Amino acid sequence: MSQPEGFVESGKEKKVCKLVKSLYGLTQAPKQWHKKFDQVVLSYGFQINNSDKCVFVKQFDDSGCVILCLYVDDILIFGSNMHFINDVNSFLSSNFDMKEHGLGDVILGIKLIKKNDDMVLTQLHYVEKLLKKFNYFDVKPIATPYDSPIKLKKKLSKWISSHKYSQIIGSLLHLTNFSRLDIAYAVGRLGRPENNIVDLLTKGLTCQQVL
């Protein structure tokens, strides 16, 4: 990194500092953090998932395993046996400064519900929050999220502001990326770049339908 202002050594102005430890906030910090985390968990017998590099799996025996899900510096631990989970938790605590937040409830806007031996992922609470936020909570529900005969016209309407419309589309995109793949086509149509010139009245009504 460049020498900090006020601490530039005379005669060595073109020299740079070598970081012994990565500093939080620098562009290389996430890379160094993941590199460190990978080294630690791999040394304990975990394997990196081929489909998602932030998921780590360790098989303890024929009937037990532990799965780590890493998001930035948040870790979600799944396991088939509480004893295995405690072992992994103790190992991680000995290598990192950690805080336990108890049983997982909501992470990244997804609610975790344990039913017997199954784990249910839902965003129902997020959908209800959106409906209340945009005043659509009491509208009549329908079976399909998009009417294909609707044609978007190049005409600006004041029925819904472009700012509010962008907020709705962004919220719906969050849903499609996690749990509501069934509305992906409708949201894709409504979120096309020409939304600033098409009829926001028609799109607003359709957006209400998707919500």
Side-chain angles (χ1 to χ4, degrees):
M1 60 174 287
S2 300
Q3 297 182 59
E5 185 177 351
F7 295 90
V8 179
E9 188 172 349
S10 178
K12 299 182 179 179
E13 291 80 5
K14 295 184 178 181
K15 296 287 185 177
V16 295
C17 299
K18 178 182 178 181
L19 290 177
V20 178
K21 183 178 180 181
S22 182
L23 299 180
Y24 185 82
L26 297 182
T27 55
Q28 67 267 35
K31 179 180 179 181
Q32 295 300 322
W33 157 241
H34 276 274
K35 181 179 179 181
K36 173 65 175 179
F37 188 83
D38 289 354
Q39 291 175 346
V40 171
V41 296
L42 291 178
S43 68
Y44 194 60
F46 277 90
Q47 294 182 338
I48 301 177
N49 185 276
N50 292 327
S51 300
D52 191 332
K53 302 301 182 182
C54 292
V55 176
F56 306 83
V57 182
K58 179 176 180 179
Q59 192 77 32
F60 281 86
D61 52 37
D62 294 337
S63 59
C65 72
V66 171
I67 301 174
L68 297 180
C69 299
L70 177 68
Y71 179 76
V72 188
D73 57 355
D74 292 327
I75 306 173
L76 195 62
I77 305 177
F78 295 92
S80 56
N81 186 298
M82 199 63 200
H83 174 69
F84 296 148
I85 294 177
N86 291 334
D87 285 347
V88 173
N89 198 18
S90 298
F91 170 76
L92 293 175
S93 298
S94 65
N95 286 275
F96 303 105
D97 185 14
M98 293 175 49
K99 292 182 180 179
E100 290 190 45
H101 297 284
L103 189 64
D105 181 32
V106 177
I107 183 169
L108 299 180
I110 302 176
K111 190 173 184 64
L112 310 176
I113 302 176
K114 192 176 186 305
K115 291 185 176 180
N116 299 324
D117 294 331
D118 299 326
M119 184 68 71
V120 178
L121 307 181
T122 177
Q123 287 188 290
L124 178 60
H125 67 292
Y126 179 74
V127 174
E128 292 179 347
K129 180 180 178 181
L130 290 182
L131 292 173
K132 292 177 181 179
K133 178 180 179 180
F134 298 111
N135 300 319
Y136 293 141
F137 190 75
D138 296 325
V139 298
K140 183 179 179 181
I142 58 175
T144 57
Y146 189 83
D147 288 335
S148 55
I150 290 181
K151 294 183 179 180
L152 305 178
K153 301 177 182 179
K154 295 181 179 180
K155 175 185 175 183
L156 190 63
S157 170
K158 296 182 179 180
W159 184 83
I160 180 173
S161 68
S162 59
H163 177 69
K164 180 180 178 181
Y165 181 78
S166 298
Q167 286 184 316
I168 296 176
I169 292 300
S171 301
L172 291 174
L173 283 172
H174 177 77
L175 275 176
T176 60
N177 289 335
F178 285 91
S179 62
R180 292 298 305 274
L181 298 178
D182 56 309
I183 63 172
Y185 174 76
V187 176
R189 284 291 305 272
L190 296 173
R192 288 182 177 177
E194 66 268 18
N195 64 7
N196 59 338
I197 59 173
V198 300
D199 187 353
L200 291 183
L201 173 60
T202 303
K203 296 191 74 175
L205 290 173
T206 309
C207 196
Q208 173 181 335
Q209 182 176 346
V210 175
L211 278 171

